[in-house]
Amino acid sequence: MVVFEVRNAPALRGLVVFVSLLALLLVLPGVSNAADNVGPAPVKSLTATGSTTRIYLNWADNTERDLAGYHVYRSERSDGGFRRLTSVLRKISDYPDLTAPAGLRSYYRVVAVDRSGNASRIVSLSAIRRDTTRPATPIGLTAARTESGALLTWVPNTEPDLSLYRLTRATTPAGPFTWVARLDPGATSYLDTAAAAGTGYYYRLVAVDLSGNASAPATATLVAPDLTPPAPVSSLTATGTVADVTLDWADSTEADLAGYRIYRADASDGPFSPIGDGLVTASGYQDTTALPRTPYWYRVTAVDLAGNESEPVTVEGTRLVGYDPIPGADLTVAPDGSGDMLTIAEALAAATGTEPFVIGIRPGTYPESFTITRPNLTLLGAGAAPGDVVITDDKSAGTLKPDGTPYGTTGSATVTVRANDVTARNLTIENAYVETGTGNEQAVALKTQGDRLVFDAVRLLGDQDTLYADSPAPGVLARSYYVTSYVEGDVDFVFGRGTAVFDRSTLFASTRQNPSNNGYLTAASTDISLPYGFLITDSTVLSDAPPKSFHLGRPWQPSGDPSAIAQVVIRDTVLPEAIKDAPWTDMTSTFSWRDARLFEYRNSGPGAGINPDRPQLTDAQALRYTKWTYLAGSDGWNPTYMLVWRARGS
């Protein structure tokens, strides 16, 4: 310490002191006259201890000589909003916070301040002033069994100081309870995947607040599953009626019965499939979906509220058939047994004699092939549309017979008509053979050889050679009339030496996915002695083939027969853009289409046209090529008159 003493001249005392201090600062080494802007060191060893009355903060004393004191700040958030608690600098290294909110976490900051007003870096920590109030017991706790375990749900607590939930469980109500999970305060559910599927559990859920206070436990019980199935049903019977198969059995006496489950199979060894709409609660069931004359095997089981199912009891039952003949039919064919016969072939075999005879056919699919040799016969489809009655087979010319030889084109036919005066109405004849692109793929749906045949509202479906309009021999007249009908195919799908008229009908030329040649609508082999072959009149040709890729036809000379000079007229018909500009072509190199009798007249549509490759009838010639002239023959046959009368009078 430097002491300045001025014994005399009081007026000079202050000047002497000032000068002496200035001189001292100038001569003492390491002493600067710069301002102090260096803050104290941060406080160390800061702790906070919460009790029910306060939060007590304590830290180590700072060692700076120019320390002025400490400031303490508090917030309810860690990221801001701090308020200073010390109104003046605190001289000692602790602080009792008596105003901290109870039960909530408080966040603190402590800084040291020197005499120049410099503050240290902040030191932070948090603590909770403990309260003694327990959280509310969680409400709404439930436990439900799922495939993955036990699912617990509850309503969340609303206390702001909630810290967590503790979940425990036991296998008896009194315990011991073992820890399951510690859950966040926002949780409202927990899936206990460790819960054994066949074990019952007692759960407790406790809410814990930030002060460590625990609520009274909420409880939930997961009942052990019932794994015992009911007893099998007894006295099971099955009674067939015209309306159904009626099942009946004795009432089950199980207290927890939920109902009965019904199964059905086509064979005694199954497979069995459930029928009906869920569980049946009555001790009986009427199976109205059973087909008549079809035996079924039924199984009935009892099911309890836990879903346990009894051993099945089996019984056989068959629905009876009520005779339901088609009005106006001499014989009725029905696949459900409600007619006289199950198949058309059976009905044909039973239709003896030569007088007019009508076979009515109920809706259904008939997978059969047959030949009609009885004259004066009508096949009448009894559906709402031709597609409701379908006669189908799938043989091609290359398909092998049981003796190893191929069926050939004629043998591939689904239906063959050799008799005269046969009519088919409102049905479909199909050859369902699927083309492979190799081998002999002629697949005939219908072959005709008889005379005076009528096909009214009939669909003929196939690909190559769908309709074979033939005759018993070259030069023999065999007339067939197709009205409001539909013929579909690709290659030569209307062919043969017969006389055929297509009136107000639709012919569909199917694509073979070829950009330039997808097929031929006709392949006539009309004998030179006959003036008429095929006539398509007042009809529509449709196609899904590319533009200009389909022919109207080509002349066919079977086995090189020079007398086969095709005769085809297509008139007053709408043609699609798939038809080629030169629509007629040769089948062989030995006979030109130009030497055949191929004509058009007054056609329309995007596929129609007139050019040197499309011979046209004159108006005078067209009078000789009508549906009446084609069909009249020497007996004046006119089925168009009969059909007009039938349509008006029926």
Side-chain angles (χ1 to χ4, degrees):
M1 176 181 294
V2 179
V3 179
F4 298 91
E5 180 180 1
V6 180
R7 297 176 179 172
N8 298 309
L12 297 175
R13 188 175 300 146
L15 178 60
V16 172
V17 171
F18 172 76
V19 172
S20 300
L21 289 173
L22 180 60
L24 180 62
L25 291 173
L26 291 173
V27 300
L28 288 176
V31 177
S32 172
N33 61 352
D36 179 7
N37 57 9
V38 178
V43 300
K44 297 180 179 180
S45 305
L46 177 62
T47 62
T49 304
S51 68
T52 58
T53 60
R54 71 189 68 194
I55 295 177
Y56 179 71
L57 288 83
N58 186 268
W59 58 91
D61 292 339
N62 276 44
T63 59
E64 288 86 355
R65 291 183 178 181
D66 61 343
L67 184 71
Y70 306 92
H71 274 311
V72 179
Y73 300 82
R74 185 185 72 208
S75 175
E76 295 179 359
R77 310 192 321 268
S78 63
D79 58 349
F82 284 85
R83 181 175 59 87
R84 197 174 75 188
L85 301 178
T86 49
S87 58
V88 296
L89 287 170
R90 188 167 180 81
K91 303 300 183 180
I92 58 178
S93 56
D94 68 353
Y95 183 82
D97 184 6
L98 303 177
T99 63
L104 298 178
R105 182 168 294 279
S106 294
Y107 296 87
Y108 293 93
R109 290 179 176 178
V110 179
V111 296
V113 182
D114 64 15
R115 290 172 183 168
S116 298
N118 300 309
S120 70
R121 284 189 295 105
I122 295 169
V123 178
S124 303
L125 84 171
S126 66
I128 299 171
R129 178 179 172 182
R130 292 188 291 109
D131 64 14
T132 58
T133 303
R134 302 171 67 185
T137 302
I139 60 174
L141 180 64
T142 61
R145 195 176 300 278
T146 71
E147 292 183 358
S148 303
L151 177 63
L152 294 102
T153 60
W154 60 91
V155 177
N157 281 40
T158 59
E159 289 93 342
D161 63 338
L162 190 67
S163 175
L164 57 92
Y165 294 101
R166 286 200 304 263
L167 182 65
T168 57
R169 73 169 178 221
T171 55
T172 64
F177 284 82
T178 58
W179 179 88
V180 175
R182 176 188 184 279
L183 306 172
D184 292 337
T188 58
S189 65
Y190 180 75
L191 181 62
D192 183 6
T193 57
T199 304
Y201 290 100
Y202 300 86
Y203 286 93
R204 287 182 178 178
L205 183 68
V206 172
V208 181
D209 65 17
L210 293 172
S211 299
N213 301 304
S215 71
T219 61
T221 301
L222 188 66
V223 178
D226 176 10
L227 302 178
T228 303
V233 301
S234 60
S235 306
L236 176 63
T237 61
T239 304
T241 70
V242 172
D244 56 45
V245 175
T246 298
L247 304 176
D248 187 71
W249 57 90
D251 292 338
S252 174
T253 59
E254 302 284 338
D256 61 344
L257 183 74
Y260 306 92
R261 188 167 286 128
I262 317 298
Y263 300 84
R264 189 180 72 187
D266 298 330
S268 60
D269 57 352
F272 285 83
S273 300
I275 60 174
D277 187 13
L279 293 179
V280 175
T281 55
S283 56
Y285 181 77
Q286 289 76 42
D287 181 13
T288 59
T289 64
L291 295 177
R293 291 187 180 175
T294 302
Y296 293 99
W297 282 260
Y298 295 89
R299 283 183 176 175
V300 179
T301 61
V303 182
D304 64 20
L305 294 173
N308 299 305
E309 193 168 5
S310 72
E311 289 293 320
V313 178
T314 305
V315 68
E316 181 184 355
T318 302
R319 181 176 174 179
L320 303 181
V321 177
Y323 182 58
D324 186 18
I326 295 172
D330 297 291
L331 282 178
T332 295
V333 179
D336 63 2
S338 61
D340 302 288
M341 306 291 177
L342 294 175
T343 68
I344 302 170
E346 289 175 324
L348 290 171
T352 58
T354 59
E355 71 281 358
F357 197 91
V358 177
I359 296 176
I361 308 171
R362 289 286 184 196
T365 298
Y366 297 85
E368 50 183 308
S369 178
F370 52 80
T371 298
I372 298 174
T373 57
R374 186 200 191 281
N376 300 309
L377 180 75
T378 295
L379 296 182
L380 176 62
D388 293 341
V389 174
V390 179
I391 305 166
T392 183
D393 196 20
D394 61 356
K395 295 189 294 290
S396 74
T399 302
L400 298 181
K401 293 185 285 188
D403 63 5
T405 60
Y407 279 97
T409 301
T410 293
S412 72
T414 299
V415 174
T416 300
V417 181
R418 292 179 181 166
N420 296 337
D421 301 300
V422 174
T423 297
R425 286 199 179 103
N426 197 38
L427 51 80
T428 297
I429 301 172
E430 172 189 56
N431 191 314
Y433 173 77
V434 178
E435 291 183 335
T436 64
T438 60
N440 297 320
E441 299 202 289
Q442 300 89 340
V444 178
L446 172 66
K447 179 176 180 179
T448 62
Q449 289 183 300
D451 190 28
R452 297 185 297 275
L453 309 180
V454 175
F455 297 89
D456 179 11
V458 170
R459 296 195 312 157
L460 304 177
L461 307 182
D463 287 318
Q464 182 173 351
D465 291 2
T466 304
L467 171 58
Y468 190 176
D470 198 14
S471 68
V476 177
L477 184 64
R479 294 161 289 177
S480 55
Y481 178 50
Y482 301 83
V483 60
T484 59
S485 291
Y486 177 91
V487 186
E488 179 179 301
D490 48 38
V491 175
D492 304 334
F493 65 96
V494 176
F495 76 107
R497 66 190 176 204
T499 297
V501 172
F502 301 87
D503 182 15
R504 290 163 287 161
S505 294
T506 299
L507 295 92
F508 190 89
S510 300
T511 183
R512 292 186 295 163
Q513 308 302 324
N514 189 304
S516 60
N517 184 12
N518 279 282
Y520 315 89
L521 197 156
T522 65
S525 58
T526 321
D527 191 80
I528 189 61
S529 65
L530 298 175
Y532 301 116
F534 297 159
L535 171 66
I536 300 173
T537 180
D538 297 300
S539 294
T540 300
V541 178
L542 301 175
S543 182
D544 59 353
K548 304 185 186 308
S549 67
F550 219 97
H551 294 86
L552 291 178
R554 56 183 181 172
W556 177 37
Q557 291 191 319
S559 303
D561 180 6
S563 297
I565 308 297
Q567 198 282 325
V568 178
V569 171
I570 301 175
R571 60 174 294 172
D572 300 298
T573 291
V574 180
L575 302 179
E577 65 176 348
I579 300 302
K580 288 176 171 286
D581 291 334
W584 308 102
T585 188
D586 300 338
M587 182 178 287
T588 67
S589 60
T590 59
F591 184 72
S592 170
W593 70 267
R594 296 183 185 276
D595 296 325
R597 297 169 285 175
L598 308 176
F599 298 97
E600 294 181 75
Y601 178 69
R602 215 163 53 187
N603 291 325
S604 61
I610 298 176
N611 61 51
D613 293 321
R614 304 184 77 149
Q616 304 288 316
L617 295 175
T618 65
D619 291 343
Q621 290 173 325
L623 296 176
R624 301 198 304 271
Y625 295 95
T626 67
K627 55 188 172 184
W628 299 285
T629 58
Y630 268 74
L631 298 172
S634 60
D635 56 5
W637 185 52
N638 183 9
T640 66
Y641 170 78
M642 292 186 292
L643 289 171
V644 171
W645 177 87
R646 177 182 62 81
R648 291 175 180 172
S650 58

